[in-house]
Amino acid sequence: TNYESRKARHIAANPNVESQTGRTAVMRGPVVYCLEDVDNPCPVDQVALAETAAIDTEHRGELLGGVTVLKVQGKRRGIVETDDGLGVIENDVELTMVPYYAWDNREAGNMVVWIPTELPEAASMENATLAVVAKSSASHCHSADATLAVNDNILPANSNDHSIPRMTWWSHRGSEEWVALGFDKPHTFSKMEIYWFDDTGRGACRVPASWKLLYKDGERWQPVQATSSYGVARDQFHT
């Protein structure tokens, strides 16, 4: 009986909760688990998990003060970089889940508890750039936001657009913060665009006082010699 109580199991979402329709969660005993980008081979918003997928346990004494992780086979659909440019792939992936209580104790990234049982649509290829295949990270990310919003190819209608995913450093104010895009191999870029979130009149997020663009040269971050100003105006891209 004690062993059975500690077996990992799928939990179907309540059908009355429309936002979780067609999703599953995973529990081991009383502990709820989640997926984080930092543990997995692709962004966790690109994966699906069958409700019948077998779940293996593995204790890691060095991780997060000592936790039992879950290993499960899922599927992934997303945009990847190919020899011919960008393309959409669908493949099997091994997913690693950690206890929900321990999430966001490493690098900031995306997290999901309720996982789709059917593959989500891949990001739109329309106007997609190499940025969509980068791994996003940040010095901090508000728990209701996601670093993936930096490069998900979903464009805002304005700086106060709450209808799409966003990345903010809330509630850090007056501090120096960073967000980074990491690529599997070196690339040459000629342009970078950024669109600031600012919910004046609704919340307390504001554009930064100033910012700068860096690139990684070996182990050092070097400033980019930009050909235009580092703008902070709302409702527009800064290039």
Side-chain angles (χ1 to χ4, degrees), residues 37-119:
D37 279 354
V38 65
D39 299 305
N40 291 288
C42 63
V44 296
D45 71 325
Q46 296 181 359
V47 304
L49 185 62
E51 293 176 287
T52 56
I55 306 169
D56 294 322
T57 60
E58 177 184 318
H59 187 74
R60 296 184 182 175
E62 79 292 348
L63 180 64
L64 297 166
V67 296
T68 296
V69 303
L70 305 180
K71 310 289 284 189
V72 60
Q73 293 295 318
K75 288 188 176 295
R76 177 262 184 116
R77 178 187 290 142
I79 298 177
V80 297
E81 184 180 1
T82 69
D83 292 339
D84 300 320
L86 298 176
V88 176
I89 68 161
E90 185 176 314
N91 63 303
D92 295 331
V93 288
E94 182 179 71
L95 302 173
T96 299
M97 308 187 74
V98 297
Y100 173 69
Y101 68 77
W103 85 277
D104 203 24
N105 277 287
R106 292 164 292 169
E107 60 185 69
N110 305 294
M111 182 277 293
V112 62
V113 171
W114 291 102
I115 308 164
T117 56
E118 299 291 337
L119 279 170

Side-chain angles (χ1 to χ4, degrees), residues 86-178:
L86 298 176
V88 176
I89 68 161
E90 185 176 314
N91 63 303
D92 295 331
V93 288
E94 182 179 71
L95 302 173
T96 299
M97 308 187 74
V98 297
Y100 173 69
Y101 68 77
W103 85 277
D104 203 24
N105 277 287
R106 292 164 292 169
E107 60 185 69
N110 305 294
M111 182 277 293
V112 62
V113 171
W114 291 102
I115 308 164
T117 56
E118 299 291 337
L119 279 170
E121 291 297 321
S124 172
M125 289 288 289
E126 183 179 359
N127 300 319
T129 70
L130 275 175
V132 300
V133 300
K135 182 177 177 60
S136 54
S137 58
S139 54
H140 170 74
C141 181
H142 178 44
S143 60
D145 299 334
T147 61
L148 186 71
V150 174
N151 59 321
D152 61 6
N153 206 38
I154 302 174
L155 304 184
N158 53 63
S159 289
N160 205 355
D161 189 351
H162 283 70
S163 68
I164 63 173
R166 60 185 178 268
M167 154 63 205
T168 73
W169 291 285
W170 181 259
S171 59
H172 291 194
R173 290 183 284 185
S175 56
E176 185 174 282
E177 306 290 346
W178 57 263

Side-chain angles (χ1 to χ4, degrees), residues 7-23:
K7 286 184 67 176
R9 63 199 187 279
H10 294 270
I11 304 295
N14 188 312
N16 293 317
V17 182
E18 291 185 9
S19 63
Q20 310 301 354
T21 299
R23 293 174 179 262

Side-chain angles (χ1 to χ4, degrees), residues 206-238:
R206 299 294 178 266
V207 298
S210 64
W211 63 287
K212 56 188 176 182
L213 181 63
L214 308 172
Y215 70 97
K216 198 168 189 180
D217 181 11
E219 293 303 313
R220 299 185 62 184
W221 288 94
Q222 304 284 6
V224 170
Q225 300 302 311
T227 58
S228 57
S229 62
Y230 288 102
V232 294
R234 292 178 293 175
D235 303 326
Q236 67 182 71
F237 273 102
H238 296 281

